[in-house]
Structures are given as C-alpha cells and as structure tokens.
C-alpha cells in the first residue's frame, strides 16, 4: 500500500513523434513550387551560352529541309520582313552546331528568324526569356547587333519549344496573308499567360 505523501515518480512528458510522411509532403510541396518557378523553357543545357556563327555547316535531311525552307520562303514578307541578303546567307552557311544539329522544326524557325528579322522583332516571346534581357522573339534566335556588325546566333531557341512554337504561328499566319498587327494579336492571345510573362516588345507600325 502506497503512502499518500509519496505518490511515486511523476509521469514523463511525451515527446512529439516525428513522422517521415510529414517531411516527404514538405519536400514534394517545395519541389512543386520550384518547378513552377522554372516553368517555360525546358531542356536547357547546363551552362549554355550564346555562340557566334561558327565554321560548321549542317548536313543531313534536317539541314537540307531548313535550307529549302529558307530559299523558298526568303521572298515572303510579314509586315517589314526581310529576305536573305549576303550577310544572312553567309551566316546560315556557317551556322553553329546548336543550329545545324537541332530538330528540323527548330532549324526552320532559325532560318525564318534570320530571313524575317525586320518583322519578328515585333513579335513577343512568352517563355520567360525577358529575364535574360530579350526584347522579342527575334532575340531568341539572333543576338542584337548594330548595322554592319556580324550576325551572331543565339542558342536560346535551340532548346526552347515555346520560342519555336511562337515563330511557327507567326510563319503560318503570315503565309495566310495576315498583317503583322494581326499576327502580333494572335501570338498575344494564344501565349499570353499560358507560360511566362512576355517580353517588352514594341508594337508593329500601323
């Protein structure tokens, strides 16, 4: 029989039990937020940077397709689009590996951008590249340059599907006879808010 004055040792407080599922859910939520922040361009190579047009010319069916598309479409215009001149022709012949080794669709988009610089500069891009200083969809293919400066290819579009799809839409609508302003409106309507904030691209002339 216990003495009332000595009830025995006090019960030890229970420590909270750590459950691995809680940490797993926290990790999953963090990764989901990180993925959303990086949405937009996919498949970018680590440490990828822009490269000037090099001495390597593409070979194979994909390069031949891009060459044919450039030659056949060089006379078409979208607003103030420009055809291939001597500088553009030379740059395309010496295009770097990240262009000549890209998919057929990507090569055609590069060729279109090269031959339509004057109009693609009015088409925005919605892949999030504004954070890299891009001003339009054209900057995803070619580095900005002053008149007379050599043409330098931008690597960004070679691994970004959003850039290529925007160019494909502009090319398709132009082939249908749409004006540059209508092309711009269609790109804004289809891509605005769907991926990432757009570039601060000036409006095309009336």
């Amino acid at each position: 029989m216990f003495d009332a004055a000595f009830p025995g040792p006090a019960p030890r407080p229970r420590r909270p039990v750590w459950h691995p599922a809680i940490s797993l859910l926290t990790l999953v939520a963090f990764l989901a937020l990180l993925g959303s922040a990086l949405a937009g361009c996919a498949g970018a190579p680590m440490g990828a940077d822009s490269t000037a047009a090099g001495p390597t010319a593409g070979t194979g069916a994909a390069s031949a397709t891009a060459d044919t598309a450039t030659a056949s479409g060089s006379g078409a215009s979208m607003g103030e689009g420009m055809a291939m001149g001597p500088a553009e022709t030379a740059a395309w012949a010496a295009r770097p590996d990240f262009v000549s080794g890209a998919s057929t669709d990507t090569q055609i988009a590069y060729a279109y951008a090269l031959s339509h610089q004057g109009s693609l500069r009015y088409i925005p891009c919605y892949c999030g590249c504004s954070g890299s200083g891009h001003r339009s969809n054209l900057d995803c293919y070619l580095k900005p340059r002053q008149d007379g400066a050599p043409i330098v290819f931008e690597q960004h579009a070679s691994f970004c599907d959003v850039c290529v799809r925007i160019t494909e839409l502009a090319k398709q609508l132009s082939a249908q006879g749409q004006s540059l302003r209508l092309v711009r409106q269609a790109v804004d309507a289809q891509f605005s808010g769907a991926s990432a904030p757009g570039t601060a691209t000036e409006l095309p002339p009336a």
Side-chain angles (χ1 to χ4, degrees), residues 2 8-9 11 18 36 45 48 59 66 85 106 109 111 113 128 134 146 148 159-161 164 173-174 185 193 204:
F2 295 102
W18 175 82
S36 298
T59 57
T106 300
H134 287 190
Q146 300 296 326
F159 56 76
C160 185
D161 180 62
V164 174
L173 295 178
S174 174
Q185 291 173 10

Side-chain angles (χ1 to χ4, degrees), residues 6-7 32 39 55 83 103 115 118 122 138 142 146 152 160 170 177-178 183 197-199 205:
F6 301 97
S103 68
S115 61
Y122 294 110
L138 177 64
L142 302 175
Q146 300 296 326
V152 180
C160 185
Q178 299 285 348
V183 172
T199 52

